[in-house]
Amino acid sequence: DGMNVLFIVVDDLRPVLGCYGDKLVKSPNIDQLAFQSIVFSNAYAQEAVCAPSRVSFLTGRRPDTTRLYDFYSYWRVHAGNYSTMPQYFKENGYVTLSVGKVFHPGVSSNYSDDYPYSWSIPPFHPSTEKYENDKTCRGKDGKLYANLVCPVDVTEMPSGTLPDIQSTEEAIRLLNVMKTNKQKFFLAVGYHKPHIPLRYPQEFLKLYPLENITLAPDPWVPEKLPSVAYNPWMDIRQRDDVKALNVSFPYGPLPDDFQRQIRQSYYAAVSYLDMQVGLLLNALDDVGLSNSTIVVFTADHGWSLGEHGEWAKYSNFDVATRVPLMFYVPGMTTSSVSQGERVFPYLDPFSHILGLVPQGRSKKVVELVSLFSTLAELAGLQVPPVCPETSFHVALCTEGASIVRYFNVSEEKVKEEKDGCDDTYRCFNEEPVAFSQYPRPADIPQWNSDKPKLKDIRIMGYSMRTIDYRYTVWVQFNPNNFSANFEDVHAGELYMVETDPNQDYNIYNNTSHGCFFKKILG
């Protein structure tokens, strides 16, 4: 009978991980997982904000089908009664369990994380989650603030703990229950960090001396960036430490030394996350289930760390849409594991430098909307059918094809080298494409540009990423009937990956892009 699934989803984690080539970060436990997994180096979210991205990959439908672009509607009522990935596993005999932030809490998951449809028992939320945005950060003056940069002494925190520590403990408890009851499970664990505030145990700072921290390679707003594409990072401006800097709206910039502190704390939060993931995977070994459990590790979207003069998510750039994505499948991504063999011994981020290169790495461009069908296939369940053109009335179907066909990467290496496109316009065959989108209330940055409510959306930026380019068109959007008018293009962006990997030089206005446009309409 099928394998268990451990589904780990992280909030706001861009691929700053050793296994993705980052030289600064200490992430030995996630790297160890990657070493036993197939790792996708070009995986993208469908919208770079929490609720829309999560509802999209948990239902296997794109944001234009869930009709969720903000935080304020529940798809079953507002769009269609779509089955979710955990619901499908539950209907196929799995015990489905949710720990931490899996669905975005609130109205977008019916104030219940979609229980009881998606989960066998009510989802677990750490009791200390409610203090996340309180004044728990000690300033230089000894007073407490609600800061962005917030290393803490855990013993001084409410209940002497932090939410992700509690989530790890609960997930480990559930693994033990599942082992005892011999039940087949789908366990989703959602970690909060490195989501802001960057609140983590202060000892992780010493892994990242400030003198080793650089600014982003492109910390300026690109000259040819359309104003509609820029996100003014309102959420970080509201934190006490950023407020005190009195930075001008909308373009900033933040002072260099503070940019370094944000980057330092983001890295420290990633190492704190790595420790949690390490403890969780070590527990999977402890209960003897590493040989019968598929492990997926991903994030809901990325996070800008000063690139293009931007912070946070809320854009269509790679830094906001690209996510880590890896699948550990015993006997498929690794040779079969014998009972009791340790696959994931815990590695202390303070003493382990791993430097392991993942065995299987695919450069294929893939999307999170494919997770549902991919996991169904890996678990040996029937893969949900492909959605028809309009699928509001269809309860079970998916808009993302399974990517299991990319798991055998040995053949792709040779071919990929030869596939580089000399003629940009001719390489439109069946190359994989990732689609993302982002809504805006206006052409110029304003207070609600990052997170417009549905009724205020006037423009939708549809973005297409292939191995060679990112192409984005910002078009007129009507929130009353959810329609985009591709004849009313407000602005466009085109970046060629090979010559402009950081997406700083927009060549949209000096390129003929009829065929890109056709493809995005396709």
Side-chain angles (χ1 to χ4, degrees), residues 50 52 64:
C50 307
D64 281 348

Side-chain angles (χ1 to χ4, degrees), residues 265-304:
S265 272
Y266 187 90
Y267 274 82
V270 170
S271 291
Y272 160 58
L273 160 77
D274 183 77
M275 180 183 230
Q276 302 311 313
V277 172
L279 294 168
L280 177 60
L281 293 174
N282 185 55
L284 192 67
D285 271 356
D286 285 345
V287 293
L289 294 174
S290 300
N291 63 335
S292 56
T293 303
I294 295 163
V295 182
V296 190
F297 178 89
T298 191
D300 55 356
H301 43 70
W303 211 78
S304 303

Side-chain angles (χ1 to χ4, degrees), residues 26 61 70 108 117 143 171-172 214 220 283 340 345 378 403 521:
K26 310 271 190 297
R61 319 275 183 127
D70 58 15
S108 65
Y117 298 103
K143 293 198 185 111
I172 291 172
T214 59
W220 57 84
L378 289 174
I403 59 174
L521 291 174

Side-chain angles (χ1 to χ4, degrees), residues 5 23 61-62 73 86 92 115 152 176 199 229 287 325-326 333-334 372 483 488 491 501:
V5 178
K23 300 283 187 279
R61 319 275 183 127
R62 299 180 187 280
S73 67
N92 279 281
Y115 175 79
V152 296
N176 281 287
R199 180 167 163 262
V287 293
L325 177 63
M326 59 189 81
T333 62
T334 56
F372 188 163
S483 66
D488 183 359

